Amino acid sequence: MSWHTPLGAQLTDAKQYIRWLEIYVDTGDIVGVGEDQYKNIPLAAYLYRLMSDPVVQMQVLTSPIRAQVFYSQVGQFIIDCVHFTRFGMQRSWTEMRDAQKVMHIPTHDQETFQSLLQRIDDDHRQDGFDRDFFEKLMAGGGLQHPENWEKLQRDWVGAIDERLRTESEEHIKARSDAFEQGMNRLMEMADGYVASHGIPMQQALQAWNLMNGQWTESEFERRMNVVRLQDRYPDIPKIVNLMGRKPDSSGREHLTADRGQQMKIEHSAGSDIEGITIGNDLNALLPSEVALFADQRMGDLFMQRYLTHRLQLFRYRSELTTPARKLSFIAASRRGPMIVCVDTSASMYGTPQRITQSLLSLLEQTAERLGRDCFLIDFSVGIRPIDLIQRRKQQRWQRLGMTKEDANFDLGAIPFIGGGTDARNMMDQMFELLDTEGSAYVNADVLWVTDFMIPTPPPDYLKRMAALKDTGTRFYGLEITTEDVPHDWAPHFNRIFKIRYRPVRKY
């Protein structure tokens, strides 16, 4: 089924609605949804009313766990409404196809016209179709004028759209009250449970993101058992805090410039605009943001966007330059890119797998909160590279009920491949990320999560790793093991952390 009238496209644009929801949950801004602009789009109009409710705004902006429940519940409501409307479009496909063929009817005689007019009137009398108008329009020689048939075609398509709009509106009205009551009840349950059990909000959010988007105390506690491994093994949060640096004049850490490293310069000409970004550089404001600043009524909104680095800015091509590889220390902050290489061989089953899951949960949350790039390479006999932030978004969308028709994506997970461990394929992928000119991962910090029972690769691999280490890349290791097993990897890393665990014995 494929027909795309402007109204039909808006009624079923799931990704657009979800983007509005994400912005609202992150910033409190109602972006893209306007009471007047979208008053004829039932779902957009409903979202505007819901997001404008002061009680809803207070709950979403003051409690992160309530905000996540709100995102999950409203997201599922959006997908349900979109799928309902899309099903209506599928039911109307034959009729829409016939409407598109009106101009190509072999004979435009009175009998054919009256039969067609009766059909349309029977189906769309309540959708604004005016039969009397077309009776008069086609009287006399009106049947011979192509523009009259074009008018009939437009009004027929418009009537089909109006029926879809009305059905969508009635579907929302029938479900909205029960939906909002259920959502408020879930928000109270989740927030109350977290508060009464003294659970740190950061850990509560990690546990929620490991769930399927539905609140149950038993499932939440099961996920909290994974998150609480960070308390049992404090090296997990310590590693996450070490990972990722980027150039920053106010930073206290240091970073060396590397081949392909993107370095910002302070000034750039206005003639080399490359695109639009966000930040708080007042020298690069879009005219719309300048107008916002000049409006006294909007001053508070401007200051909020400035303080949260959400102003829309011009991005200039000359802000980027690519120096040769060299040792040159500059200030850095811990907001840079990260690469995580996870051993998924058979020896990492069980407890190591749960420790890895806890680490990745914290790493993903940190990267998303700070807007950092984070790439995963899982490896054993083969590899699978995954953009962790993109995978997190895809999994979140899947929990809302989005299908490939709603958003074109392939879901990612971390399957434990089993078998032996060969680091060469993983290191090839790692080197490609670190060495590709213009890559977001040049000078990234790299973490290997493994038991280090890995055969030593050929010498040229280790030399290349040493060269990257000398010019700014930091390599960390997390060794998860039941006992101290000697290996030769330590000299190639800046630091290897070790977690020893006791294997579960089954009798």
Side-chain angles (χ1 to χ4, degrees):
M1 192 280 296
S2 177
W3 56 270
H4 302 285
T5 63
L7 179 62
Q10 288 180 309
L11 289 173
T12 57
D13 190 356
K15 288 182 69 175
Q16 182 66 65
Y17 294 130
I18 297 300
R19 280 195 291 268
W20 291 346
L21 176 61
E22 289 172 345
I23 292 171
Y24 180 73
V25 169
D26 288 343
T27 68
D29 293 337
I30 306 176
V31 179
V33 185
E35 188 172 17
D36 296 327
Q37 183 182 3
Y38 292 98
K39 61 184 178 181
N40 292 322
I41 312 297
L43 185 53
Y46 173 74
L47 290 176
Y48 178 80
R49 292 194 298 272
L50 181 66
M51 294 176 180
S52 300
D53 186 333
V55 176
V56 172
Q57 290 178 336
M58 181 186 69
Q59 293 193 83
V60 171
L61 296 177
T62 58
S63 171
I65 193 68
R66 285 179 183 258
Q68 291 304 309
V69 175
F70 178 85
Y71 173 86
S72 175
Q73 296 300 300
V74 175
Q76 291 175 39
F77 184 81
I78 288 171
I79 299 302
D80 171 78
C81 292
V82 167
H83 286 178
F84 174 84
T85 303
R86 187 171 289 141
F87 178 71
M89 292 175 66
Q90 292 171 341
R91 285 189 287 107
S92 301
W93 181 82
T94 299
E95 185 181 9
M96 178 59 71
R97 183 187 59 184
D98 291 344
Q100 301 293 351
K101 293 179 178 180
V102 162
M103 298 300 298
H104 305 290
I105 294 177
T107 57
H108 286 167
D109 55 56
Q110 191 64 232
E111 183 179 354
T112 302
F113 167 67
Q114 288 296 333
S115 175
L116 178 61
L117 195 64
Q118 183 65 48
R119 172 189 173 185
I120 301 173
D121 186 58
D122 289 344
D123 290 339
H124 297 291
R125 190 176 300 118
Q126 305 301 320
D127 301 322
F129 183 78
D130 190 345
R131 174 174 181 166
D132 292 340
F133 169 80
F134 284 101
E135 290 274 14
K136 296 175 183 178
L137 184 67
M138 296 295 193
L143 290 174
Q144 308 308 318
H145 296 291
E147 61 270 20
N148 292 343
W149 289 92
E150 288 179 7
K151 171 64 175 172
L152 176 63
Q153 182 186 65
R154 287 197 302 271
D155 280 25
W156 189 1
V157 171
I160 297 173
D161 273 348
E162 177 60 22
R163 183 176 62 190
L164 288 171
R165 191 198 68 78
T166 302
E167 289 176 347
S168 176
E169 187 174 58
E170 291 174 350
H171 180 74
I172 292 170
K173 286 181 179 179
R175 296 189 66 250
S176 59
D177 287 344
F179 156 70
E180 290 177 30
Q181 291 174 10
M183 178 182 68
N184 289 329
R185 184 170 60 253
L186 285 177
M187 286 196 291
E188 290 175 4
M189 290 171 59
D191 199 32
Y193 188 87
V194 169
S196 63
H197 288 74
I199 300 173
M201 186 57 68
Q202 184 190 63
Q203 293 191 351
L205 293 176
Q206 287 182 64
W208 172 263
N209 279 301
L210 291 172
M211 294 169 67
N212 63 1
Q214 298 293 334
W215 171 264
T216 63
E217 290 185 7
S218 59
E219 177 66 9
F220 182 78
E221 273 301 320
R222 190 170 77 86
R223 299 301 184 177
M224 276 300 302
N225 289 334
V226 174
V227 175
R228 288 190 181 105
L229 289 172
Q230 297 161 23
D231 297 328
R232 183 175 177 183
Y233 303 112
D235 279 346
I236 294 176
K238 186 182 297 184
I239 291 169
V240 172
N241 287 334
L242 279 176
M243 290 286 290
R245 296 156 301 132
K246 68 180 294 186
D248 186 346
S249 59
S250 62
R252 290 182 296 178
E253 296 295 326
H254 286 86
L255 178 70
T256 58
D258 197 358
R259 178 164 61 87
Q261 171 66 37
Q262 294 182 337
M263 300 177 64
K264 295 185 69 173
I265 60 177
E266 293 183 359
H267 303 287
S268 58
S271 60
D272 62 344
I273 295 173
E274 187 177 35
I276 294 175
T277 184
I278 58 173
N280 66 348
D281 184 357
L282 299 180
N283 293 316
L285 288 175
L286 262 63
S288 59
E289 299 289 29
V290 176
L292 188 69
F293 175 74
D295 189 339
Q296 293 183 353
R297 296 169 300 175
M298 305 300 288
D300 291 343
L301 177 58
F302 179 89
M303 288 304 300
Q304 179 196 17
R305 292 183 179 179
Y306 174 80
L307 294 173
T308 58
H309 294 246
R310 302 292 298 180
L311 290 170
Q312 295 187 73
L313 312 174
F314 287 117
R315 181 172 178 81
Y316 297 109
R317 187 181 304 275
S318 57
E319 288 178 345
L320 308 177
T321 183
T322 308
R325 183 187 295 277
K326 63 179 182 178
L327 287 171
S328 177
F329 287 94
I330 56 177
S333 66
R334 296 201 173 282
R335 293 180 289 117
M338 301 172 284
I339 300 172
V340 188
C341 305
V342 174
D343 184 349
T344 55
S345 61
S347 62
M348 294 290 287
Y349 277 117
T351 300
Q353 187 176 358
R354 296 176 66 244
I355 293 172
T356 300
Q357 185 181 23
S358 185
L359 169 69
L360 290 178
S361 170
L362 180 57
L363 202 62
E364 287 179 339
Q365 184 187 63
T366 302
E368 186 175 60
R369 176 171 55 86
L370 298 178
R372 296 159 63 173
D373 293 303
C374 189
F375 203 91
L376 169 72
I377 308 171
D378 67 74
F379 69 99
S380 63
V381 291
I383 65 167
R384 192 172 70 145
I386 301 171
D387 184 322
L388 271 185
I389 302 305
Q390 184 64 24
R391 185 193 68 158
R392 184 178 174 92
K393 177 182 291 187
Q394 291 169 353
Q395 290 176 332
R396 185 182 295 130
W397 286 358
Q398 184 194 37
R399 288 194 291 267
L400 298 181
M402 290 185 78
T403 64
K404 287 189 176 183
E405 190 173 9
D406 300 315
N408 184 22
F409 59 74
D410 293 318
L411 292 172
I414 306 178
F416 271 69
I417 303 170
T421 309
D422 186 344
R424 285 178 296 178
N425 291 335
M426 175 269 288
M427 294 178 75
D428 286 337
Q429 178 68 63
M430 178 186 74
F431 292 146
E432 181 179 347
L433 290 170
L434 291 169
D435 264 345
T436 300
E437 186 171 317
S439 165
Y441 294 95
V442 172
N443 253 137
D445 285 347
V446 180
L447 171 66
W448 290 19
V449 183
T450 176
D451 54 11
F452 281 97
M453 297 171 62
I454 305 173
T456 304
D460 58 316
Y461 280 78
L462 299 178
K463 289 179 181 178
R464 194 171 178 186
M465 189 172 174
L468 287 165
K469 183 180 173 185
D470 288 342
T471 52
T473 297
R474 290 188 181 178
F475 292 93
Y476 298 104
L478 174 58
E479 183 178 353
I480 306 175
T481 181
T482 57
E483 55 185 344
D484 290 325
V485 178
H487 58 77
D488 299 325
W489 285 101
H492 308 292
F493 286 78
N494 293 83
R495 181 175 178 182
I496 293 180
F497 295 85
K498 182 177 292 187
I499 289 180
R500 293 190 61 175
Y501 68 95
R502 179 174 297 178
V504 177
R505 300 186 181 278
K506 297 182 180 180
Y507 298 94

